[in-house]
Amino acid sequence: MKHFTSANDIESAPSLVEEGLILKADPHQSKIGTNKTLGLIFFNPSLRTRLSTQKAAFNLGMNVIVMNIGKDGWNIEFEDGAVMNGATQEHIKDGVAVISEYVDILGVRTFPELKSKEKDYSEQVLNKFKEYSSVPVISLESATLHPLQSLADLITIEQHLIKRPKVVLTWAPHPKALPQAVPNSFLEWIKLTDADVTMTCPEGYELAEEFTEGVPIVNDQNEAFADADFIYAKNWSSYTHYGQVLDVREDWTITQEKMRLTNRGKFMHCLPIRRNVVATDDVIDNSIVYQQAKNRECAAQVVLKKILEANG
Ligand code: AN0
Ligand code: CP
């Protein structure tokens, strides 16, 4: 594996899940990262990704340097050929080239602006990191994907040992416009398993076809919940009416009553979660969300280990 920015970068999801679980059982078995450095660059906030990826790197013997570039760095220019006589002081080309002189693997978190579909889905920032970095790049959530989260989610589902689980991805309410990265990525990865996956969302919240292809979309949330083994909830802004929060008449908050329609289904969410908006307290408090968060560590660890193995 060179970079890790989507499911296209891996050979086999089931074997990555299996290796992740082996590392989870014995996190200190390999110190392949000794004398290597991981750089983590954040344009946006993070709790889990930042801490779990650092912990994973420490488990492998790596050193870690972290920078909140949006807050602590110079203003970055992203346009090629820009005449930089305005507010930006450092070109992305120079910044990334320099950071990659200090590290052996470079992680980046960059959210979409949710203004232009074309711009966000072209993954401008992530691709510039890939272009200008002299070392492998891992996504810590990009404009349209969150592969480390999805790998942790697959590991979590696998731990429940349900054959051909029925997995339902459900849209849930939220006051602010959020990216489509988590649900896009979840669909991309869950399709690589034997799970029977359904998506439920209000009309207007369908995701890009490249992700929903082959996935039944049901607009009635209660109907979709019937017999589900896992309910994966997430809010996202509209893809069709790009970046907008649409008026939704029905109540899409996940409640205990809705969870009772499932096959004693487990509630999943990537966190952070707005309690009693996305899901009620009792749903969250009886869920597997902390197990998911814990699995971010072994997911990051298996990815770092694979990259170190492949790149010497
Ligand atoms: C982000 C999102 O929806 O993509 C990060 C989730 C891991 N969530 C928020 O901004 C609340
Ligand atoms: N789930 C997740 O990526 O959380 P953070 O945004 O806190 O890293």
Side-chain angles (χ1 to χ4, degrees):
M1 190 170 5
K2 170 104 206 273
H3 303 297
F4 179 78
T5 58
S6 83
N8 295 327
D9 292 327
I10 63 157
E11 271 171 32
S12 153
S15 64
L16 212 53
V17 166
E18 195 183 321
E19 286 179 61
L21 284 168
I22 292 169
L23 281 175
K24 181 172 181 168
D26 181 9
H28 297 285
Q29 61 188 260
S30 164
K31 295 292 168 195
I32 191 177
T34 305
N35 296 331
K36 303 274 184 190
T37 300
L38 171 67
L40 300 177
I41 303 296
F42 289 90
F43 284 94
N44 313 95
S46 165
L47 185 153
R48 280 142 292 271
T49 305
R50 178 176 175 143
L51 298 180
S52 63
T53 312
Q54 286 195 59
K55 178 82 185 298
F58 294 150
N59 291 345
L60 293 168
M62 296 185 92
N63 298 309
V64 186
I65 49 184
V66 186
M67 185 171 181
N68 296 321
I69 201 164
K71 213 165 123 226
D72 302 328
W74 301 105
N75 295 331
I76 304 282
E77 176 62 57
F78 293 99
E79 295 305 323
D80 289 334
V83 177
M84 290 170 57
N85 60 359
T88 56
Q89 296 126 336
E90 173 138 36
H91 200 280
I92 184 80
K93 182 177 189 169
D94 304 318
V96 173
V98 169
I99 297 166
S100 68
E101 293 291 327
Y102 306 136
V103 302
D104 300 282
I105 300 178
L106 179 53
V108 59
R109 165 163 286 198
T110 171
F111 284 174
E113 291 172 347
L114 296 176
K115 287 183 196 136
S116 155
K117 183 188 287 188
E118 289 66 36
K119 188 172 177 200
D120 290 343
Y121 276 72
S122 75
E123 289 285 8
Q124 188 199 43
V125 179
L126 180 70
N127 285 333
K128 288 201 186 293
F129 267 72
K130 280 174 139 168
E131 184 178 351
Y132 299 128
S133 170
S134 55
V135 300
V137 170
I138 62 175
S139 163
L140 306 172
E141 184 173 349
S142 68
T144 69
L145 294 171
H146 194 356
L148 282 175
Q149 180 66 50
S150 307
L151 176 56
D153 297 335
L154 260 53
I155 291 172
T156 308
I157 290 172
E158 175 61 26
Q159 283 189 302
H160 290 266
L161 299 172
I162 300 171
K163 245 188 156 194
R164 266 190 77 74
K166 178 173 175 189
V167 178
V168 176
L169 169 65
T170 180
W171 182 91
H174 193 281
K176 298 252 165 68
L178 293 187
Q180 294 113 27
V182 170
N184 283 347
S185 209
F186 183 70
L187 290 178
E188 183 182 66
W189 284 74
I190 197 75
K191 284 200 259 176
L192 302 175
T193 73
D194 70 347
D196 167 7
V197 56
T198 299
M199 169 172 151
T200 180
C201 64
E203 265 175 59
Y205 277 106
E206 295 78 13
L207 295 162
E209 238 179 71
E210 61 176 298
F211 303 109
T212 55
E213 203 186 337
V215 177
I217 302 174
V218 179
N219 293 129
D220 181 335
Q221 195 185 33
N222 289 342
E223 182 190 322
F225 273 36
D227 300 324
D229 297 301
F230 295 93
I231 297 296
Y232 194 102
K234 182 72 182 83
N235 169 270
W236 60 86
S237 58
S238 175
Y239 174 74
T240 333
H241 308 280
Y242 193 69
Q244 290 181 30
V245 176
L246 312 175
D247 272 339
V248 174
R249 262 195 229 118
E250 316 88 66
D251 186 2
W252 281 72
T253 302
I254 320 301
T255 61
Q256 283 284 37
E257 290 67 44
K258 290 181 190 171
M259 289 304 291
R260 276 195 269 277
L261 300 170
T262 69
N263 178 27
R264 301 164 64 92
K266 308 270 186 272
F267 177 85
M268 299 178 74
H269 190 282
C270 63
L271 306 183
I273 190 165
R274 291 200 183 220
R275 283 177 172 260
N276 303 307
V277 176
V278 171
T280 53
D281 282 328
D282 46 8
V283 169
I284 300 166
D285 292 338
N286 289 292
S287 75
I288 57 172
V289 296
Y290 300 156
Q291 184 187 354
Q292 268 177 282
K294 170 69 185 165
N295 286 336
R296 291 294 307 273
E297 181 182 328
C298 65
Q301 195 171 338
V302 72
V303 167
L304 294 172
K305 183 165 176 278
K306 287 265 175 214
I307 292 176
L308 289 169
E309 282 166 359
N311 296 275

